[in-house]
């Protein structure tokens, strides 16, 4: 495979990764309707352990996995701070 083909494959994967992240963020935003508080340290600790375990399976470093998770959590919390429409209220 040539460098050009490898880069094309990487670009396709990058698009898929961004698409999945956008889908994840949409779900995170929806969780706000069910939560009293955005912060949940217990959930975050569970996620960190899971991410470390998964990263190990895929040969990724702990630092990389935790760094990526941290960015996802920051963005998730940011989105959850935005007003979320009450599904029980009619428009």
């Amino acid at each position: 495979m040539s460098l050009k083909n490898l880069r094309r494959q990487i670009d396709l994967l990058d698009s898929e990764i961004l698409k999945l992240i956008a889908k994840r963020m949409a779900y995170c935003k929806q969780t706000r309707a069910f939560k009293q508080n955005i912060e949940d340290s217990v959930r975050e600790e569970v996620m960190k352990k899971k991410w470390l375990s998964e990263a190990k399976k895929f040969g990724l470093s702990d630092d990389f996995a935790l760094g990526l998770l941290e960015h996802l959590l920051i963005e998730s919390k940011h989105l959850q701070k935005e007003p979320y429409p009450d599904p029980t209220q009619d428009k």
Side-chain angles (χ1 to χ4, degrees):
M1 192 174 273
S2 70
L3 178 60
K4 184 177 181 177
N5 287 339
L6 288 169
R7 286 181 174 165
R8 188 175 309 129
Q9 292 301 313
I10 290 168
D11 289 345
L12 290 171
L13 288 172
D14 287 346
S15 290
E16 286 298 311
I17 290 167
L18 290 172
K19 183 178 173 181
L20 289 170
I21 290 171
K23 188 174 182 178
R24 183 189 193 283
M25 292 302 151
Y27 285 132
C28 289
K29 198 171 181 180
Q30 291 177 41
T31 66
R32 183 64 178 114
F34 301 96
K35 294 164 47 171
Q36 292 285 333
N37 299 310
I38 292 170
E39 298 288 330
D40 187 345
S41 60
V42 173
R43 167 79 172 142
E44 288 184 27
E45 281 304 311
V46 169
M47 290 178 71
K48 285 178 185 178
K49 289 176 185 175
K50 182 179 178 192
W51 273 63
L52 289 172
S53 174
E54 291 288 313
K56 190 174 191 174
K57 287 184 205 174
F58 295 115
L60 301 171
S61 75
D62 291 356
D63 287 342
F64 176 75
L66 292 177
L68 182 56
L69 177 60
E70 183 65 25
H71 285 288
L72 291 171
L73 291 174
I74 289 168
E75 184 62 15
S76 295
K77 291 173 190 177
H78 172 76
L79 290 173
Q80 290 178 54
K81 288 179 183 174
E82 294 177 4
Y84 190 80
D86 184 345
T88 63
Q89 300 264 333
D90 289 39
K91 293 184 180 192

